């Protein structure tokens, strides 16, 4: 029997990231300032190092990965591509199912792929501190790890309700030396304003972003770091798909359909974009972004300019959005809660070059449990979205008899998400079908400025 | 630069386990029944399948690993051998430090190496259910995983205080389909007796063992499964050391000193025994069992026949022991709490063929944090014991200038142990030097029958 895991040597870690912009038939629209005019690089220089701003705006196809970044990648990369034979057998499908396992990173997800690059470029630019926000803690822990690797201090504004409910992600960040504050804090103006309105405020991701951005903008030694959405973040994540392509080559196979969870888009972009390069060259491959039915940005949102945060402090981005003050219903347990989506993913979806499906949450946990009972690994709730969509197609293959090759990104493990599994097992999870009225209402909150949707 | 991780192909997963008994100059003393006479295989047949009983008593050097067991091993094995270069640099040591990372198993530790084998042999013997005990849940989750892989039901008696304090290991077991009960229960006589004495009993590992053994002994379809101590358990764990030897060969290196945590002994035996084969053939290599100062079985216990459990239901085993009613002080946060030790490890230690050191707990967490800040991975508290001893010797090498090769078993990750890290960071952890008087008092509790110490 051929191997279960398709491994690469460390020498096969990609030497370049792939920039999908080079192959997009319609280039992404630029970010706009509050005056409605395209932003120049200088507008971002207060919170990002120039190297990352250049990547954000680059149209070059290949961007070299600095050796010190590859050096840190070597602590866990290349990640394995695995053939899910036991899952195939259990489903009784003729499909071949593969998954890329990013949960082997010390932080337990794909997030360090960009955190390490961001910490490196900031270090190179003389920055000694990074400020960021985190919800459940997956991104915060990735940046804490990366900061530690390059000797950069990291301060994480963690949404207060998560700070108290998910203490172990916080402990993880502290183990890697990061300072973790419950947001809202009283050390930023945004925080103080929120606390004045509600001293018991549980915080929100949008508010935590505002605090981190405010700190970065106001301190010379400090920059801001974001874990998804932005072009350079998706760029860094392409190591996932680039490795996967080499691994498929090794076994003489190639995916017919690729699935990845899609919140801000870095998970999906990282896994799928390198295959888009082939698609742009004529190869037939379907790229499926899988999102929660309770936060259906691509499948039910509007393609328009909108803010990246709740308070409207960020540039306007041309993306699918549910409105920048969208909050997923409280019954939504997992991540993928962002109101918008990567500009790159949005443009490609708008142009019909990538697909999207929304899946209800109970079905995602059911898929995750099925997977873990076959393959062992307990997936992160985000990853369960991709597994659900993949299993659905594998079952279709069973009906049609088609031996398709299916590939999903198992972006992380669920070791810090077992409370969500508990809810699933105890029947406390609910599905939520977002009412059309609420989706429409979000339109009214879009900035007046422009809408290309 | 050479690779950080030394990988093997799945074809290089060992085909045989190594049985150290074949190379021991003094063979281990046999287990005794309540009448003081050596136990025959039939005495164990009520709770173990014959294949495991044969392995328990075997003197063959090599025992073939069944193909279906290797098939499951392939879900995560071979595990990587990693060179801890960033740790070496941080310590400024000329020593070369390697670690074997067993935390990549789905259960997050080395425990599935034997759980999978035990589930397989029980399945072969027509057994459909396994009963076991677990404290913090590491062993219970390994057996839950293994049971699921072979379609065997698993019931885990989980010490009640852990059941409530560590709900996420419980969730993990449920994800893999196991039934988890808070011990003491009212479904066994041992449990009912304990509850009659104290309805609020928090439970203990010894009591949970009694419940699991009682269930296994009373049901035809059910056997018992143990996660450490026994010869066959250590045998199965030798895949760790066997792989490591191949990996050292690949880079042309060989360890001068090997460190592994030591509680019941399967962690240490698994990593060290395959190297003992070389030592027995004249090679110079030091094998160091690292135990907690607050449960100093090898370094301060007695070499004598004692029971394996608190209640005295198990056979008598000839081992180092602190007395079968020993309880580590409540300030002890990690695992490695067993009062006794593997008969094999005990005999080798008694004969001066393996070494042991006891380390205080605060220092183990300090070592674990240092490690994770260099190498990323957050180790299990048990693994921190080995890291502490290794770092201590690496610092000695710095003084002497000796470029020794040091190797430790990173037996698991700490994702489910972050509460212990929290205690370390908040200064709540204490060290405990076990008073000589208490150690002496334990002598009086040893069974009268025999003492070879």
């Amino acid at each position: 029997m051929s191997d279960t895991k398709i491994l690469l040597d460390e020498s096969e870690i990609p030497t370049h990231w792939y920039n999908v912009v080079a192959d997009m038939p319609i280039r992404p629209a630029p970010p706009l300032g509050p005056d409605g005019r395209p932003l120049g690089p200088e507008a971002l220089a207060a919170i990002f190092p120039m190297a990352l701003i250049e990547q954000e705006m680059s149209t070059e196809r290949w961007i070299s990965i600095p050796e010190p970044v590859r050096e840190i990648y070597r602590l866990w990369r290349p990640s394995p591509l695995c053939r899910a034979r036991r899952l195939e057998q259990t489903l009784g499908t003729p499909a071949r199912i593969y998954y890329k396992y990013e949960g082997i990173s010390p932080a337990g997800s794909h997030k360090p792929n960009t955190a390490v690059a961001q910490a490196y470029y900031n270090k190179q630019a003389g920055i000694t501190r990074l400020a960021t926000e985190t919800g459940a803690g997956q991104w915060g822990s990735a940046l804490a790890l990366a900061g530690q690797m390059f000797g950069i201090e990291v301060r994480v504004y963690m949404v207060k309700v998560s700070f108290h409910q998910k203490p172990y992600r916080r402990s993880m960040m502290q183990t890697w030396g990061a300072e973790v504050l419950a947001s809202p804090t009283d050390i930023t103006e945004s925080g103080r304003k929120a606390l004045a309105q509600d001293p018991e405020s549980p915080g929100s991701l949008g508010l935590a972003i505002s605090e981190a951005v405010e700190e970065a903008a106001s301190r010379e030694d400090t920059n801001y770091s974001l874990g998804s959405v932005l072009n350079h973040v998706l760029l860094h994540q392409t190591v996932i798909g680039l490795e996967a392509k080499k691994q498929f080559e090794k076994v003489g196979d190639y995916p017919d359909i690729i699935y990845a969870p899609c919140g801000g888009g870095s998970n999906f972009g990282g896994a799928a974009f390198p295959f888009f390069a082939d698609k742009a060259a004529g190869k037939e491959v379907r790229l499926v972004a899988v999102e929660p039915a309770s936060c259906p940005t691509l499948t039910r949102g509007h393609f328009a300019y909108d803010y990246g945060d709740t308070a409207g402090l960020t540039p306007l981005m041309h993306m699918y959005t549910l409105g920048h003050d969208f909050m997923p219903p409280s019954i939504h347990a997992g991540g993928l809660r962002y109101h918008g989506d990567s500009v790159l993913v949005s443009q490609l979806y708008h142009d019909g070059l990538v697909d999207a499906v929304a899946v209800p949450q109970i079905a995602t946990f059911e898929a995750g449990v099925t997977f873990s009972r076959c393959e062992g690994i307990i997936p992160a709730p985000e990853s369960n979205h991709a597994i659900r969509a993949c299993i659905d197609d594998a079952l279709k293959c069973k009906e049609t008899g088609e031996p398709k090759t299916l590939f999903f990104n198992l972006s992380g493990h669920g070791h810090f998400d077992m409370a969500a599994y508990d809810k699933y097992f105890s029947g406390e999870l609910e599905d939520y079908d977002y009412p059309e009225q609420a989706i429409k209402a979000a339109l009214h909150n879009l900035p007046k400025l422009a809408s290309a949707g």
Side-chain angles (χ1 to χ4, degrees), chain A:
Chain A
M1 180 182 266
S2 58
D3 282 356
T4 297
K5 303 180 295 301
I6 304 139
L7 303 176
L8 298 175
D9 290 334
E10 288 173 23
S11 62
E12 294 172 287
I13 293 173
T15 56
H16 292 73
W17 291 300
Y18 167 70
N19 183 7
V20 75
V21 176
D23 288 317
M24 288 171 73
I26 300 177
R27 295 272 163 99
L32 304 181
D35 58 358
R37 279 200 259 175
L39 281 180
E42 67 293 345
L44 300 169
I47 59 169
F48 294 114
M50 199 44 73
L52 289 178
I53 296 171
E54 281 165 15
Q55 291 180 359
E56 188 65 22
M57 307 200 161
S58 171
T59 57
E60 291 294 313
R61 184 170 282 106
W62 296 103
I63 294 175
S64 171
I65 306 179
E67 205 43 50
V69 171
R70 294 182 79 232
E71 202 50 53
I72 301 298
Y73 282 172
R74 290 162 67 142
L75 291 177
W76 70 91
R77 300 205 74 82
S79 69
L81 179 73
C82 307
R83 174 84 182 268
R85 279 209 189 75
R86 294 174 54 90
L87 178 62
E88 293 169 15
Q89 284 157 14
T90 297
L91 299 176
T93 180
R96 289 184 298 281
I97 302 177
Y98 296 84
Y99 63 92
K100 182 86 169 154
Y101 186 41
E102 290 291 311
I104 58 158
S105 84
S109 79
H110 66 298
K111 295 281 184 189
N113 295 331
T114 182
V116 168
Q118 293 189 44
Y120 168 77
Y121 287 117
N122 276 290
K123 178 80 175 183
Q124 288 298 102
I127 289 295
T128 59
R129 297 178 74 254
L130 285 172
T132 197
E133 73 289 334
T134 202
Q138 207 178 56
W139 168 245
S141 50
L143 195 67
L145 170 72
Q148 178 61 238
M149 295 294 135
F150 287 106
I152 287 191
E153 280 178 53
V154 173
R155 177 180 280 172
V156 182
Y157 291 88
M158 186 173 189
V159 177
K160 194 186 274 175
V161 60
S162 298
F163 183 92
H164 293 299
Q165 280 177 4
K166 305 198 172 181
Y168 298 139
R169 277 274 176 200
R170 186 183 77 205
S171 319
M172 198 175 201
M173 293 184 253
Q174 287 169 333
T175 303
W176 289 318
E179 181 187 11
V180 188
L181 305 177
S183 166
T185 71
D186 60 2
I187 63 169
T188 68
E189 220 162 289
S190 324
R192 283 190 296 270
K193 202 170 137 194
L195 289 171
Q197 282 175 2
D198 177 8
E200 302 304 313
S201 165
S204 74
L205 202 54
L207 181 53
I209 293 179
S210 302
E211 290 204 80
V213 168
E214 184 187 323
E215 171 171 340
S218 65
R219 286 184 62 153
E220 272 295 310
D221 61 352
T222 305
N223 267 346
Y224 172 68
S225 194
L226 190 66
S228 192
V229 182
L230 299 179
N231 300 358
H232 68 270
V233 178
L234 275 68
L235 174 78
H236 301 153
Q237 292 294 354
T238 58
V239 289
I240 302 171
L242 291 167
E243 284 180 6
K245 282 178 75 170
K246 282 190 206 173
Q247 287 163 315
F248 274 110
E249 257 176 55
K250 290 217 171 184
V251 290
D253 209 340
Y254 192 91
D256 294 299
I257 317 180
I258 297 172
Y259 312 84
C262 196
S266 79
N267 196 323
F268 174 73
F273 283 177
F275 293 89
F276 179 79
D278 296 344
K279 189 182 173 88
K283 182 122 187 158
E284 215 169 296
V285 51
R286 240 187 101 201
L287 312 174
V288 185
V290 191
E291 58 185 18
S294 48
C295 188
T297 315
L298 291 173
T299 51
R300 302 182 67 188
H302 309 287
F303 190 45
Y305 269 106
D306 197 3
Y307 295 108
D309 68 330
T310 312
L313 298 178
T314 70
L316 289 159
M317 294 186 294
H318 193 226
M319 61 184 179
Y320 279 86
T321 176
L322 293 163
H324 57 274
D325 49 5
F326 170 86
M327 290 279 281
S330 59
I331 59 114
H332 179 64
L336 312 177
R337 309 171 66 91
Y338 191 57
H339 69 277
D341 210 316
S342 147
V343 169
L344 303 177
V345 173
S346 295
Q347 187 66 51
L348 289 167
Y349 178 65
H350 186 71
D351 297 338
L353 296 167
V354 308
D355 295 336
V357 295
V359 290
Q361 74 174 345
I362 294 176
T364 65
F365 278 90
E366 188 200 26
V369 169
T370 299
F371 175 82
S372 74
R373 290 185 178 179
C374 295
E375 304 295 322
I377 297 165
I378 298 178
E382 294 80 11
S383 311
N384 286 343
H385 289 74
I387 299 176
R388 176 74 268 166
C390 178
I391 287 181
D392 286 346
D393 282 348
L395 292 173
K396 279 180 207 153
C397 288
K398 186 179 179 176
E399 281 174 33
T400 62
E402 288 172 290
K404 286 190 181 168
T405 299
L406 311 180
F407 165 48
F408 68 86
N409 191 24
L410 183 50
S411 52
H413 62 61
H415 300 169
F416 293 88
D417 306 286
M418 296 312 297
Y421 278 88
D422 272 354
K423 279 192 179 171
Y424 168 71
F425 286 122
S426 64
E428 285 172 58
L429 277 193
E430 291 173 48
D431 283 334
Y432 185 81
D433 198 16
Y434 218 79
E436 193 54 36
Q437 207 181 343
I439 298 279
K440 274 188 187 145
L443 252 185
H444 297 286
N445 297 321
L446 291 181
K448 294 264 159 61
L449 198 117
S451 171

